[in-house]
Amino acid sequence: MRTQRFKLTDTQRFLLRNVSIIGLGLFINQMLQTVGSIVLARELGDPDRFGEVNLLLQIFGMISLFLNFGFNSSLIYAFSRKPLEAVQTNFRVALTGSTLFSLLIGLLLCALAPILANYYQLTELRGALMLSSIMFIFNSILNIGVASFSGNRDFGTQAFFMVITTALSTIGTVLGVLLPRGSMNLLENISLWMGVGAFLTAFIICIKVERVHKPRWFGPLPIQEIKSMLAYGLPSWAGNIAKAFQQPFLVMMVGSSSVLAVGYLANGFRITGFIGIITWAFMIVTLPFVAESAQDVEESKNRGTSCIRYNNLLLYPLTAIICLYPDQINGFLFGSDYSTDDSAAYIRLMALGVLFSSVGRLGGSIMAGIGKTKSSFWVMIAAGIFVVIFVPLVAASNPVLAVWIYTGGWAVSALTMIGFYYYEKFAINWWKAYGEPLLPTLVMLAIMEAGRFAKSWFPLFVCVGLLALISFTIRIEKNSKLRSNAA
């Protein structure tokens, strides 16, 4: 009898290849942000000043969530299903609508700048926020350009522009510290240089869009098309706000009483961001990947299960390692001054938050792929409601408890997402998606924890644990594939 060979299917190869491309881009992004943060921390030499800069960046992150008004996700969906119509009409509608909305965001930001500066008792913040309003217009244009390549499944180009965006933004932040201009203060200088980076990136991507897609930049804006894109995009947009606002909101609430704690939180998010990029990469690929087979329910379920399975095979062990060694990782990256008991608690809780959030975030992309964007909105509301209600009450007196609430909200969100799978009659293979990928991580943890008692032999146990993780992962994936072939 011939032995069955382990071989990936075409869809598995497509998924893993493109997730690898996006994952590499996101990893480079995270490295750039982390290196930039390290340079800032060491150049400023003042944890309080470092916290002020990170507060500004978190406010920028919060505002960025409100850009595009859902037109970018609608454009991805349009390109995945009807690429010709997307080039002729949808791109123009999305670009116009998104740009107009970003203008409104900029005007609102200028009006709120004095209020925010007074709230944080940081006068430098006022001019910095006003200067940054133009940056968000260019970022809005950039997001639409990136969405066109994502919907077209050109993930290499998408990853390239993600890296360029982060690189120029990070360089702008560093230049704002190293090259002060005239009478401008530190935060205003950072806003100016980041705006220059946003303009350059938007200009480059518009040239790329013209060369590749050749869209109709000018023409009518059909009312029916606008309504259709908003009907799909608005729930997704609102869900993304509810999903992503929690991190900057948490930092801003804690920052109202302690900019020192903001620095610790920012470092924690930098570290856990490395595991967050795994799910982010799968989310980017999942929407067009599942949308392509939306008419075939069983195939969509298989694709959704595969996305979750491979996400967890990577996410579980990395989360475990960060939870085991937060002090060592934090001290190595940012220095011993930033390695405290509170910072270790932040990092562990944030890592678990990323793990829980992956259920709802990736599930939302799967539901968007089959056209069910409303479920994603309610799942993210389930996570955010706890942060909005309870974090402001405890952030000033107990920042660690605030992070506990943040993590607990994501745990509730995960349970809500599982409920929506059944509500939408789209139940996946739970063991294959969530259960089986946990086994290699448990083996690795058992070996590494045993190494704690071996003292000087501990590094050897770590290496053996990582080797066991890799070999066991390959084994269960091979066995799973052989069982599928036999069935």
Side-chain angles (χ1 to χ4, degrees), residues 240 243 278-288 361-362 365:
N240 284 334
K243 168 186 68 181
I278 296 171
T279 301
W280 193 0
F282 275 96
M283 287 170 59
I284 291 171
V285 176
T286 294
L287 199 163
R361 292 162 62 209
L362 192 51
S365 291

Side-chain angles (χ1 to χ4, degrees), residues 196-410:
V196 172
F199 167 75
L200 290 174
T201 313
F203 179 72
I204 294 170
I205 201 168
C206 285
I207 294 175
K208 182 67 174 179
V209 168
E210 173 60 26
R211 289 179 178 176
V212 175
H213 298 310
K214 300 187 184 304
R216 293 183 59 189
W217 296 91
F218 304 101
L221 302 173
I223 298 298
Q224 187 58 42
E225 199 62 49
I226 295 173
K227 291 181 178 179
S228 176
M229 294 187 75
L230 288 176
Y232 179 91
L234 276 178
S236 177
W237 174 74
N240 284 334
I241 292 173
K243 168 186 68 181
F245 94 99
Q246 297 174 55
Q247 175 179 325
F249 181 80
L250 174 66
V251 174
M252 290 166 66
M253 287 295 101
V254 172
S256 64
S257 63
S258 172
V259 291
L260 182 64
V262 168
Y264 293 149
L265 283 172
N267 288 347
F269 281 122
R270 291 280 187 272
I271 293 169
T272 56
F274 280 103
I275 59 174
I277 64 177
I278 296 171
T279 301
W280 193 0
F282 275 96
M283 287 170 59
I284 291 171
V285 176
T286 294
L287 199 163
F289 180 61
V290 174
E292 189 179 33
S293 62
Q295 304 303 319
D296 186 340
V297 176
E298 287 305 314
E299 176 61 17
S300 296
K301 287 182 180 179
N302 290 335
R303 292 189 177 197
T305 298
S306 294
C307 291
I308 298 171
R309 176 183 177 83
Y310 291 121
N311 173 75
N312 289 337
L313 283 171
L314 297 171
L315 189 60
Y316 285 159
L318 291 177
T319 302
I321 289 172
I322 288 180
C323 287
L324 283 176
Y325 312 116
D327 288 330
Q328 294 87 337
I329 296 171
N330 197 23
F332 174 76
L333 290 176
F334 300 102
S336 58
D337 290 343
Y338 294 91
S339 184
T340 65
D341 290 340
D342 280 356
S343 67
Y346 295 153
I347 292 170
R348 287 193 175 101
L349 290 170
M350 290 172 189
L352 291 174
V354 170
L355 180 65
F356 293 141
S357 73
S358 71
V359 179
R361 292 162 62 209
L362 192 51
S365 291
I366 293 171
M367 290 299 168
I370 61 172
K372 306 289 186 179
T373 56
K374 292 182 180 179
S375 59
S376 176
F377 169 73
W378 290 111
V379 167
M380 298 310 156
I381 288 295
I385 192 69
F386 295 95
V387 175
V388 171
I389 293 176
F390 296 111
V391 164
L393 302 177
V394 302
S397 59
N398 195 336
V400 175
L401 180 58
V403 183
W404 268 105
I405 294 170
Y406 166 83
T407 302
W410 281 120

Side-chain angles (χ1 to χ4, degrees), residues 162-180:
M162 286 164 47
V163 171
I164 290 296
T165 302
T166 303
L168 292 178
S169 176
T170 303
I171 290 171
T173 305
V174 174
L175 288 178
V177 175
L178 299 179
L179 299 177

Side-chain angles (χ1 to χ4, degrees), residues 1-18:
M1 181 181 293
R2 175 180 289 180
T3 303
Q4 295 187 37
R5 297 179 60 188
F6 170 61
K7 187 178 180 181
L8 293 173
T9 64
D10 290 340
T11 54
Q12 286 174 322
R13 281 196 296 271
F14 174 86
L15 174 64
L16 294 178
R17 181 178 65 251
N18 288 294

